[in-house]
Amino acid sequence: MDRNQSRRQVAAMKQCLFDQDDANPNFVEEIVTLHYRDSSRLISSIEQALKERNLDFNKLDTLMHQFKGSSSSIGAKKVKAECNLFREYCREGNAEGCTRSFQQLKKEHGALRKKLEAYFQLARQAGPHETACRSK
Amino acid sequence: MGIASEAPFHVLAVDDSLIDRMLIERLLKTSSFHVTAVDSGSKALKLLGLIEDEQRNEEPPSISLEAHQDIEVNLIITDYCMPEMTGYDLLRKIKESRSLKDIPVVIMSSENVPSRINRCLENGADEFFLKPVQLSDVNKLRPHLLKSKVKDEEHRKINNKTRELTEIHSPR
């Protein structure tokens, strides 16, 4: 892949992935890294909680609330939608629904992570010059 | 005296989430605001110098402006859902404080709950932003700040005048 193609790709991914601020390209990566660190921890906690015999829906809802907050802050729409679904199931006390939607949520979360990782890798390859250019 | 300050507006951001603090700080700085970010309502109140009433009663009955305001804050932007003290609780405390009630307060939330939004607005919040907060939201802050600035300057003039008069009548 030549440089120009990389740059175009990076610009395109940027447009569809987030509202860009080019002053500090590392800012976005920093935020995303933090998010995945936090959210991975939350996913583990939720997974644990879902294994319990009698589900504590309040606890699940609280954990999901945090997870949702962080996901929505980075603009992860699909993940956020799954979070809302999960919380609905919590409110209904629907264990099966929770488990199902959690599986879906993990899928979305993982898929987005891959996309973002690919983006950052590409951005690094394309070089700092690209990320410093405004493309609006 | 009373020279209009060229210093940027100072915004106090309150959010228990690190990511959200980083994001809002970034948005605010991009808009040329000076920012202080704290992770709880109680830290915010401490910063604002809001001390409980008991201590106030010991003050001599002179005319005192902001009794204990250590730093000047022009706007407070706070998350709604926070442990211990919610953004709503913080809003109420600020609006109940003589010294702080005129500072514009903005509430943020990732949840779109109309009753919540209305309650905040009815209780003195100047704006309610849905997360993720955008630059376009932050641009809405300036009018509130400018309006406050005018009010502040009026107050300053009145207080300076009053102080002048007080000193004339009770020389040290």
Side-chain angles (χ1 to χ4, degrees):
Chain A
M1 196 184 289
D2 72 35
R3 278 217 146 225
N4 284 329
Q5 216 175 345
S6 299
R7 282 187 192 154
R8 274 201 296 274
Q9 280 226 357
V10 170
M13 282 184 93
K14 250 196 194 162
Q15 288 288 39
C16 56
L17 284 180
F18 27 61
D19 234 351
Q20 50 180 320
D21 179 346
D22 302 299
N24 179 5
N26 295 323
F27 178 75
V28 178
E29 191 163 0
E30 210 183 313
I31 291 269
V32 169
T33 307
L34 267 170
H35 167 72
Y36 277 99
R37 192 188 64 189
D38 272 353
S39 59
S40 299
R41 189 180 38 88
L42 283 165
I43 283 184
S44 297
S45 302
I46 295 171
E47 205 132 39
Q48 279 299 103
L50 281 171
K51 287 196 178 122
E52 286 168 20
R53 232 160 199 274
N54 293 316
L55 294 189
D56 182 350
F57 289 109
N58 276 328
K59 181 162 83 172
L60 285 168
D61 189 64
T62 304
L63 288 168
M64 189 50 71
H65 174 77
Q66 286 180 56
F67 184 88
K68 178 194 160 187
S70 166
S71 300
S72 87
S73 290
I74 68 158
K77 288 186 184 163
K78 286 185 186 169
V79 174
K80 180 182 177 179
E82 281 307 324
C83 293
N84 282 332
L85 202 55
F86 185 94
R87 295 183 78 197
E88 270 304 313
Y89 288 130
C90 281
R91 277 187 270 263
E92 293 167 13
N94 181 345
E96 208 225 297
C98 282
T99 311
R100 244 182 316 128
S101 104
F102 183 63
Q103 294 311 319
Q104 188 57 26
L105 193 147
K106 276 197 292 184
K107 250 194 229 161
E108 295 292 349
H109 177 260
L112 179 60
R113 184 181 203 156
K114 283 210 175 77
K115 279 192 188 151
L116 289 168
E117 279 170 2
Y119 164 72
F120 289 126
Q121 190 152 29
L122 209 58
R124 262 176 254 136
Q125 277 170 15
H129 172 70
E130 170 53 39
T131 49
C133 292
R134 289 205 164 271
S135 55
K136 262 220 170 129
Chain B
M1 289 294 133
I3 301 160
S5 155
E6 291 302 331
F9 288 119
H10 182 206
V11 178
L12 175 61
V14 191
D15 201 316
D16 60 318
S17 153
L18 173 61
I19 288 177
D20 290 346
R21 275 200 307 282
M22 288 173 73
L23 287 171
I24 194 70
E25 195 167 341
R26 189 50 179 282
L27 283 171
L28 291 166
K29 283 187 176 159
T30 300
S31 303
S32 307
F33 293 116
H34 172 51
V35 189
T36 301
V38 296
D39 65 5
S40 72
S42 43
K43 286 209 184 123
L45 291 175
K46 212 183 248 175
L47 206 93
L48 292 162
L50 192 62
I51 302 174
E52 299 298 25
D53 297 304
E54 296 84 84
Q55 277 176 260
R56 283 273 180 90
N57 294 333
E58 288 162 31
E59 298 251 325
S62 59
I63 293 161
S64 85
L65 241 188
E66 279 71 57
H68 303 280
Q69 200 163 342
D70 302 315
I71 60 164
E72 190 177 341
V73 166
N74 305 116
L75 184 136
I76 297 160
I77 181 164
T78 175
D79 184 28
Y80 184 92
C81 285
M82 295 189 291
E84 287 168 20
M85 193 188 297
T86 66
Y88 178 75
D89 298 328
L90 179 60
L91 168 70
R92 293 300 304 267
K93 286 209 195 295
I94 290 165
K95 292 301 165 187
E96 283 162 14
S97 153
R98 221 170 0 131
S99 55
L100 305 174
K101 64 180 173 59
D102 291 326
I103 303 179
V105 179
V106 171
I107 313 268
M108 307 180 277
S109 176
S110 59
E111 318 244 334
N112 190 349
V113 181
S115 55
R116 173 187 296 181
I117 299 174
N118 286 328
R119 194 167 65 132
C120 288
L121 294 172
E122 279 164 17
N123 281 276
D126 291 82
E127 292 275 358
F128 192 104
F129 294 158
L130 279 173
K131 286 182 177 179
V133 178
Q134 312 277 340
L135 203 56
S136 51
D137 294 315
V138 174
N139 289 337
K140 293 182 194 163
L141 298 177
R142 235 163 244 285
H144 294 290
L145 286 158
L146 291 168
K147 193 174 57 172
S148 272
K149 189 176 185 181
V150 171
K151 231 194 253 179
D152 271 351
E153 274 165 12
E154 293 301 309
H155 280 164
R156 232 185 290 265
K157 285 186 198 150
I158 293 169
N159 282 312
N160 282 339
K161 196 68 194 170
T162 317
R163 203 175 286 130
E164 252 174 70
L165 296 170
T166 320
E167 281 166 5
I168 293 169
H169 291 285
S170 44
R172 281 158 211 247

